[in-house]
Amino acid sequence: MHAMQAAIVWPAGYLPGAADNFVSNEVIVPGLSAAQAWSLLADTDAWPGYYGNAADIRFHDGSGPLLSAGARFRFTTFGFPVEAEVTEYLPPDEGRPGRVAWHGWVEGDASQRLDVHHAWIFEDLAGGRVRILTQETQNGQPARELAASLPNPMLNAHQEWLSGLARAALAAHAA
């Protein structure tokens, strides 16, 4: 029997297919646990070391560099200064996948405003494997432009983020 894999919990207005742009990226990596991989996403200081599209990460509320429920931070990605607030934060535990999500936004007028929901799942699978899923929906004119681009730059960048995270976690936990 095949167990159901965990899925993203979407807030109102961000459901895939109803938002202006949606991407989904996933890796399944042997020899790594959800907790080991989680630690590299939860620590924003680690991001630039394995993902070249995240820079200038700062926390507004004195928390950080570790993500936490309700934390407010900003970072630059795709050249956009993104403000973000963690809306879901549940570290992986025995038999329970880890979940983290943030609402992000880029300020601006109707042609520049962008609102996103970026969510992650870290799930232990049978056979010593971990599943890392990241999905993002976006609303706004820049999102509509991204959705029309082939290849979709966000899809490719998020795959780089996942691959870099997996490589860094494997290297950090190599025996």
Side-chain angles (χ1 to χ4, degrees), residues 29-43 46 50 91-93 122-124 128-130 132 165-175:
V29 184
L32 197 59
S33 72
Q36 290 167 335
W38 171 274
S39 67
L40 280 172
L41 185 71
D43 182 357
Y50 63 81
D93 203 354
F122 293 75
E123 184 174 20
D124 286 316
R129 300 168 300 143
V130 66
I132 308 169
L165 187 156
R167 275 194 309 273
L170 283 167
H173 297 284

Side-chain angles (χ1 to χ4, degrees), residues 93-155:
D93 203 354
E94 193 64 40
R96 185 191 72 205
R99 297 175 169 277
V100 63
W102 55 80
H103 172 72
W105 63 96
V106 176
E107 301 287 353
D109 61 19
S111 68
Q112 298 171 316
R113 175 76 188 197
L114 183 65
D115 283 278
V116 310
H117 184 76
H118 191 170
W120 300 73
I121 292 177
F122 293 75
E123 184 174 20
D124 286 316
L125 301 177
R129 300 168 300 143
V130 66
R131 170 185 179 238
I132 308 169
L133 172 70
T134 187
Q135 296 183 330
E136 181 171 330
T137 57
Q138 301 179 327
N139 288 309
Q141 182 58 36
R144 290 187 288 278
E145 291 168 8
L146 272 173
S149 303
L150 288 177
N152 185 309
M154 196 168 74
L155 185 72

Side-chain angles (χ1 to χ4, degrees), residues 53-66:
N53 195 26
D56 306 322
I57 303 159
R58 294 197 302 275
F59 282 73
H60 294 299
D61 56 7
S63 68
L66 299 181

